[in-house]
Amino acid sequence: MQSLQEQIKIHEQEINAFTPADAGELETYRIKYLGTKGIVKAIFGEMKHVPAEQKKEAGQLLNAFKQLAESKYEDHKHLQDGGKKTGPAIDISLPATQLPLGTRHPIRMVENEIVSIFEKIGFSVATGPEIEDDWHNFTSLNMPENHTARDMQDTFYVSQNPDWVLRTHTSSVQARILESQPLPVRVICPGRVYRNETISARAHCFFHQCEGLYVDKDVSFADLKQTLYYFVTEMFGADTKVRFRPSYFPFTEPSAEMDISCTVCGGKGCSLCKHTGWVEILGCGMVHPNMLRNFGIDPEVYTGFAFGMGVERITQIKYQVNDLRLYSQNDVRFLKQFQSI
Ligand code: PHE
């Protein structure tokens, strides 16, 4: 063992001191150390004489030696190229190949924008499953079986279980929040929803909604209006006008639909607003007392408001996209027109 160590030491010194002047000297070195009859091979051959208990240490020594011998050779390999140092194989001064960068999907961008507007005033994000049971999608939202309002939404049923549906709206997340969170709650719930519609420029079998829910003591319709005014100002600018029209949703009372003045024509009339000057952007209202009761909440003590908007609709208004199908066709020419925000 000792002698092996000594041998290696001597060779290492020799290697360290060696600097080949040309390709010929390098080749001599290669044959001497790394050739089939070279020193590295010969020393590895000595291993068989090393006692078993020293083999591990000797092996490490040998490997380090082999690496040293090889790296000396590699360091001077350029001598073989006519004696000139060729420099690095990669020219780092060359312009890089441009890789096309992806962009965020416009729906996701607008969804993020909606969410962050509400986050600024204390709403937190809540999500729920896309396959829902009847209770969370309908019954608890004051839509018991045979309620005519169920016909408003063309529901996809899941064949494995008659109690399951693809959620038709994100209001199902309201139900899940009221069932699981202590009051007060203030959440914004973005997500995909499904309805059995024939696919056209104006309708699709899936789309995205953003739902808002605020339940606390003394929440009023004025709070709802002010919250939505704030949203419109942030999303569409301070000049945008707002109007509420009475409407009907089973889970809110009173209910309203909210329009904004057309951001394309400024209210003068165009194809987006169908020449009315107004575009509808969301449904809203005060949470129905029956719904609160369904979750053991006393409507005499707590009140709340809810609203729900279609993300495709907001995107359409913001970017004047006039065909809903574009959002799911994965055409990069369409998708790359949107700057990430
Ligand atoms: N869930 C309703 C829809 O899908 C929208 C809505 C949400 C209305 C919350 C009122 C309150 O049309």
Side-chain angles (χ1 to χ4, degrees):
M1 178 64 191
Q2 189 56 36
S3 68
L4 192 65
Q5 235 168 13
E6 272 165 15
Q7 278 181 52
I8 290 175
K9 213 168 173 177
I10 293 165
H11 289 307
E12 277 178 347
Q13 279 166 1
E14 200 181 306
I15 292 172
N16 283 330
F18 173 65
T19 309
D22 56 32
E25 282 188 23
L26 183 69
E27 183 59 5
T28 312
Y29 168 88
R30 190 189 66 77
I31 294 166
K32 180 174 173 192
Y33 281 96
L34 304 169
T36 37
K37 292 189 179 127
I39 291 168
V40 171
K41 270 254 158 64
I43 291 191
F44 265 82
E46 299 282 337
M47 268 299 269
K48 59 179 177 282
H49 306 303
V50 175
E53 70 278 9
Q54 291 175 8
K55 276 215 187 327
K56 191 171 165 216
E57 201 191 326
Q60 282 167 355
L61 219 65
L62 281 180
N63 278 328
F65 173 60
K66 186 176 173 215
Q67 261 169 33
L68 177 79
E70 284 173 352
S71 68
K72 177 63 109 187
Y73 178 68
E74 292 298 323
D75 286 350
H76 296 87
K77 232 177 156 182
H78 58 87
L79 290 171
Q80 291 169 338
D81 300 313
K84 285 189 260 84
K85 197 164 166 55
T86 50
I90 301 165
D91 181 352
I92 54 164
S93 67
L94 278 177
T97 315
Q98 291 289 323
L99 292 177
L101 268 189
T103 51
R104 270 191 224 286
H105 193 281
I107 294 296
R108 185 67 74 204
M109 279 166 48
V110 171
E111 182 187 285
N112 287 348
E113 202 178 342
I114 297 169
V115 165
S116 66
I117 290 172
F118 284 103
E119 276 177 338
K120 281 191 207 142
I121 53 167
F123 283 74
S124 48
V125 176
T127 53
E130 292 181 15
I131 299 177
E132 258 305 358
D133 51 34
D134 183 278
W135 169 254
H136 293 100
N137 196 78
F138 292 126
T139 306
S140 68
L141 298 166
N142 200 30
M143 276 190 270
E145 218 183 319
N146 303 324
H147 193 293
T148 45
R150 288 194 181 204
D151 299 341
M152 282 162 66
Q153 305 181 349
D154 301 295
T155 310
F156 281 118
Y157 287 86
V158 178
S159 54
Q160 282 90 334
N161 187 329
D163 194 46
W164 290 349
V165 299
L166 297 187
R167 68 177 174 196
T168 57
H169 52 183
T170 42
S171 304
S172 56
V173 186
Q174 280 191 49
R176 289 191 171 269
I177 289 297
L178 291 180
E179 141 190 291
S180 62
Q181 308 268 312
L183 296 178
V185 292
R186 192 158 46 195
V187 287
I188 183 90
C189 323
R192 183 174 281 188
V193 302
Y194 301 82
R195 292 187 196 175
N196 189 2
E197 305 247 12
T198 309
I199 296 171
S200 70
R202 294 168 171 276
H204 209 291
C205 58
F206 67 81
F207 54 100
H208 299 78
Q209 289 189 333
C210 237
E211 188 98 358
L213 173 71
Y214 177 29
V215 180
D216 200 350
K217 288 176 182 152
D218 299 325
V219 176
S220 70
F221 202 92
D223 296 319
L224 168 61
K225 285 174 88 173
Q226 206 55 46
T227 303
L228 294 176
Y229 287 152
Y230 156 77
F231 167 70
V232 169
T233 306
E234 292 285 303
M235 191 77 193
F236 297 105
D239 298 338
T240 318
K241 294 192 201 65
V242 170
R243 77 176 183 191
F244 288 83
R245 284 177 292 105
S247 185
Y248 173 76
F249 299 102
F251 34 89
T252 47
E253 182 59 35
S255 303
E257 271 163 314
M258 191 178 88
D259 300 340
I260 58 168
S261 54
C262 183
T263 52
V264 172
C265 63
K268 287 187 208 72
C270 68
S271 61
L272 176 71
C273 62
K274 300 201 198 78
H275 301 280
T276 63
W278 295 95
V279 283
E280 183 200 318
I281 65 162
L282 56 81
C284 59
M286 301 306 291
V287 180
H288 198 292
N290 285 351
M291 180 168 170
L292 294 175
R293 278 189 212 104
N294 281 339
F295 295 99
I297 299 164
D298 183 351
E300 300 299 325
V301 181
Y302 284 99
T303 49
F305 66 69
F307 57 86
M309 66 185 94
V311 183
E312 276 80 353
R313 179 75 173 147
I314 307 287
T315 313
Q316 177 197 25
I317 296 167
K318 227 179 139 77
Y319 295 107
Q320 281 128 64
V321 175
N322 51 22
D323 190 332
L324 273 179
R325 290 168 295 196
L326 287 164
Y327 294 125
S328 50
Q329 279 166 342
N330 288 335
D331 186 334
V332 254
R333 289 168 306 175
F334 169 72
L335 295 174
K336 74 180 179 193
Q337 295 175 63
F338 301 88
Q339 289 300 311
S340 286
I341 45 174

